[in-house]
């Protein structure tokens, strides 16, 4: 399969126009059903009571924080290796979405932590590594915007995205390597998920819904960025043409 | 190799002939550390408990201050283009710049750190381990900092940006350095933490030259 087919903006536009309605509809359906199931239908936890419902927002947000960063690192690699212009735009478009998911994860975790652990914040390994992920997102966005030349910003932040990718396995395994307050993995385990199906299904629906929502947001932002660059190029062309006329 | 050694010798000689720059950074280290007793109160027990954290955090910030100039002189006088087009690999030359920065900044900081630690009442069992953690950890700081410095060459708001890039990367170094000294003060073996700290610096050594060279090539384009 020739991936360079997707490199040209017009091909991307055609492809994203085909994906967009399905992704948007799927996201609305999954998030709607997932939220209904999670907030109203699924049983309260025997220990955590109703606060367990925060988990349906929190856990998929944490998955997305890492998933989006992995995409950011892949886009960074494509930017540096193939000088892929669409990858530059994609990295720039995805970073704020990932930062928003990371912030959602930290904020909901904090709200859940107060009634359950008795503290808004605890310096344990999982929380700290996710906080660092959030800082790396901020640094990525700042670096991306720090240059007059957009391409230079994209390449510099691509290097940072690859260096920061070291953090992903640390976040994933932090609950296994260190004995922390945060509970260990209960869904993605080799011996099968350790939570009851009545809670697992709404959680998975939310996970799929979040992923589709990310696809929708990323497509919109990439389109907007492409239009913005086109507009910039047109203005530039007009300005450089004028003195001659 | 010769080019790398020549570059190190040049940078060290430049720093030697402008002692003001390092004096400023050392003064920052001492003054910033001496602000803490005013901020949290002069009780020796409290200071002894937090001394190691203060020494390490202020040393980290002092290192950061010297880093935003790491490649800036080369960019301003145009010698960056010569480094990029030189026959010696750029990875090696960037590493040489970092080595020179370590010799001229981190080494003086390590030498005066026991004085700062004394001001903060660090328990006597901690000194040897403090020096060891600084010797093992500061190369990692300089290398991660080198990546940040190379990335933020020619950037707007370079200094603040550098802090934003470098500080998250240096958190693991800080964690294991402080854990090692705390273990030594508590009478436990600091060895596992020291091994992890050395491992982090070696890890930084494996990725930093390539990341620095990649970003310097972009800066020179």
């Amino acid at each position: 399969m020739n991936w360079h087919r997707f490199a040209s903006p017009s091909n991307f536009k055609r492809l994203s126009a085909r994906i967009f309605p399905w992704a948007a509809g799927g996201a609305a359906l999954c998030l709607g059903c997932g939220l209904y199931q999670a907030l109203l239908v699924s049983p309260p936890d025997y220990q955590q009571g109703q606060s367990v419902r925060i988990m349906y927002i929190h856990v998929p947000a944490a998955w997305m924080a890492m998933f989006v960063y992995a995409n950011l690192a892949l886009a960074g690699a494509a930017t540096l290796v193939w000088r892929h212009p669409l990858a530059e735009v994609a990295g720039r478009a995805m970073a704020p979405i990932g930062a928003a998911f990371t912030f959602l994860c930290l904020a909901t975790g904090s709200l859940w932590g107060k009634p359950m652990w008795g503290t808004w914040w605890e310096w344990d390994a999982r929380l700290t590594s996710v906080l660092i992920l959030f800082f790396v997102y901020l640094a990525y966005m700042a670096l991306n915007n720090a240059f007059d030349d957009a391409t230079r910003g994209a390449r510099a932040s691509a290097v940072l995205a690859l260096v920061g990718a070291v953090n992903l396995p640390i976040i994933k395994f932090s609950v296994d390597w260190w004995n922390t307050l945060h509970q260990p993995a209960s869904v993605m385990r080799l011996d099968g998920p350790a939570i009851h199906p009545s809670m697992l299904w709404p959680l998975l629906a939310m996970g799929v819904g979040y992923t589709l929502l990310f696809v929708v947001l990323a497509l919109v932002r990439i389109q907007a960025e492409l239009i913005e660059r086109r507009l910039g190029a047109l203005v530039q062309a007009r300005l450089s043409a004028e003195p001659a006329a | 190799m010769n080019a790398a050694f020549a570059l190190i010798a040049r940078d060290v000689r430049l720093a030697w002939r402008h002692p003001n720059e390092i004096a400023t950074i050392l003064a920052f280290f001492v003054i910033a550390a001496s602000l803490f007793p005013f901020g949290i109160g002069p009780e020796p027990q409290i200071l002894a408990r937090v001394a190691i954290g203060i020494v390490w955090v202020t040393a980290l910030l002092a290192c950061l201050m010297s880093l935003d100039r790491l490649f800036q002189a080369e960019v301003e006088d145009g010698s960056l283009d010569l480094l990029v087009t030189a026959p010696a690999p750029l990875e090696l030359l960037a590493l040489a710049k970092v080595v020179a920065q370590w010799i001229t900044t981190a080494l003086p900081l390590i030498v005066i750190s026991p004085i700062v630690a004394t001001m903060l009442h660090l328990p006597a069992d901690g000194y040897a381990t403090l020096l060891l953690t600084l010797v093992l950890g500061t190369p990692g700081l300089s290398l991660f900092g080198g990546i940040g410095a190379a990335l933020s060459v020619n950037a707007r708001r370079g200094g603040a940006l550098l802090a934003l890039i470098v500080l998250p990367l240096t958190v693991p170094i800080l964690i294991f350095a402080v854990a090692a000294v705390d273990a030594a003060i508590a009478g436990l073996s600091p060895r596992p933490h020291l091994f992890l700290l050395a491992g982090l610096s070696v890890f930084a050594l494996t990725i930093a030259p390539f990341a620095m060279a990649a970003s310097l090539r972009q800066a020179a384009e």
Side-chain angles (χ1 to χ4, degrees):
Chain A
M1 188 164 179
N2 181 12
W3 287 97
H4 290 279
R5 216 148 43 84
F6 301 115
S8 99
S10 58
N11 279 348
F12 168 78
K13 230 181 253 174
R14 229 171 297 136
L15 185 71
S16 79
R18 211 176 302 159
I19 297 175
F20 187 82
W22 294 99
L29 189 71
C30 285
L31 287 177
C33 290
L35 276 177
Y36 174 71
Q37 288 280 328
L39 299 183
L40 298 170
V41 178
S42 74
D45 188 77
Y46 81 103
Q47 264 183 331
Q48 306 174 18
Q50 302 291 348
S51 355
V52 73
R53 301 190 194 284
I54 297 176
M55 182 191 78
Y56 299 106
I57 309 289
H58 171 76
V59 175
W63 289 341
M64 293 312 293
M66 292 167 64
F67 175 70
V68 177
Y69 194 88
N71 278 306
L72 206 60
L74 286 178
T79 304
L80 292 175
V81 176
W82 293 292
R83 310 249 152 152
H84 198 314
L86 199 62
E88 280 177 22
V89 175
R92 194 178 155 80
M94 287 188 298
I97 307 174
F101 278 124
T102 315
F103 181 76
L104 184 67
C105 168
L106 288 168
T108 52
S110 173
L111 289 175
W112 182 89
K114 185 62 188 168
M116 288 300 119
W117 294 343
T119 170
W120 297 108
W121 181 259
E122 184 66 36
W123 290 99
D124 101 336
R126 167 81 40 109
L127 276 67
T128 312
S129 51
V130 174
L131 184 67
I132 292 175
L133 181 70
F134 184 60
F135 290 156
V136 174
Y137 270 119
L138 293 186
Y140 181 95
M141 290 189 283
L143 190 60
N144 203 314
N145 285 318
F147 299 94
D148 296 323
D149 175 14
T151 303
R152 166 101 173 86
R155 294 203 185 140
S157 51
V159 175
L160 180 67
L162 289 177
V163 173
V166 182
N167 197 11
L168 288 187
I170 297 180
I171 297 177
K172 173 72 185 116
F173 297 111
S174 58
V175 283
D176 305 327
W177 291 344
W178 290 283
N179 188 12
T180 59
L181 196 56
H182 194 288
Q183 50 270 64
S186 50
V187 178
M188 291 183 198
R189 300 201 321 185
L190 287 178
D191 52 353
I195 65 176
H196 193 264
S198 63
M199 294 181 168
L200 183 62
W201 284 111
L203 187 62
L204 291 182
M206 291 297 286
V208 175
Y210 271 46
T211 313
L212 291 172
L213 179 66
F214 161 64
V215 171
V216 170
L217 291 174
L219 287 179
V220 171
R221 287 185 54 86
I222 292 173
Q223 301 262 23
E225 184 69 27
L226 286 174
I227 294 171
E228 203 173 306
R229 288 198 175 188
R230 178 99 188 99
L231 194 65
L234 285 176
V235 169
Q236 206 71 42
R238 170 78 60 83
L239 285 178
S240 53
E242 245 164 29
Chain B
M1 258 346 243
N2 280 339
F5 284 123
L7 197 56
I8 296 174
R10 163 185 170 270
D11 275 11
V12 171
R13 207 175 304 132
L14 275 175
W16 185 252
R17 296 201 178 142
H18 298 276
N20 278 344
E21 289 183 17
I22 183 59
T24 316
I25 286 170
L26 292 179
F28 169 82
F29 180 44
V30 174
I31 292 172
S34 64
L35 283 180
F36 284 87
F38 298 112
I40 56 185
E43 291 85 2
Q45 298 89 336
I46 298 177
L47 284 178
R49 182 67 198 82
V50 296
I52 176 60
I54 296 173
V55 172
W56 251 96
V57 170
T58 41
L60 174 63
L61 294 177
C63 269
L64 196 65
M65 289 183 74
S66 70
L67 281 167
D68 66 336
R69 301 289 307 161
L70 185 57
F71 298 108
Q72 208 53 45
E74 274 74 12
V75 173
E76 280 161 12
D77 67 10
S79 53
L80 181 67
D81 292 334
L82 294 178
L83 291 183
V84 171
T85 53
L90 184 56
E91 285 79 4
L92 190 65
L93 297 178
L95 186 62
K97 289 288 293 176
V98 171
V99 171
Q101 188 270 346
W102 187 82
I103 294 173
T104 54
T105 312
L107 213 51
L109 286 174
I110 295 173
V111 171
I112 66 160
S113 64
I115 302 173
V116 176
T118 314
M119 282 163 59
L120 298 166
H121 303 286
L122 182 75
D125 297 333
Y127 283 90
T129 317
L130 170 66
L131 289 177
L132 211 50
T133 57
L134 283 168
V135 169
L136 290 175
T138 45
L141 291 187
S142 294
L143 287 162
F144 281 126
I147 299 178
L151 284 175
S152 57
V153 162
N154 281 340
R156 294 185 293 244
R157 302 177 303 274
L161 186 66
L162 181 70
L164 196 57
I165 296 171
V166 174
L167 292 180
L169 299 178
T170 56
V171 169
I173 295 177
L174 194 60
I175 290 174
F176 290 115
V178 173
V181 182
D182 277 340
I185 293 171
L188 303 168
S189 166
R191 280 165 63 90
H193 303 292
L194 291 175
F195 285 142
L196 281 165
L197 192 60
L200 284 169
S201 283
V202 172
F203 170 72
L205 183 64
T206 59
I207 60 164
F210 300 101
M212 286 189 290
S215 22
L216 286 177
R217 283 199 189 95
Q218 293 158 18
E221 261 174 21

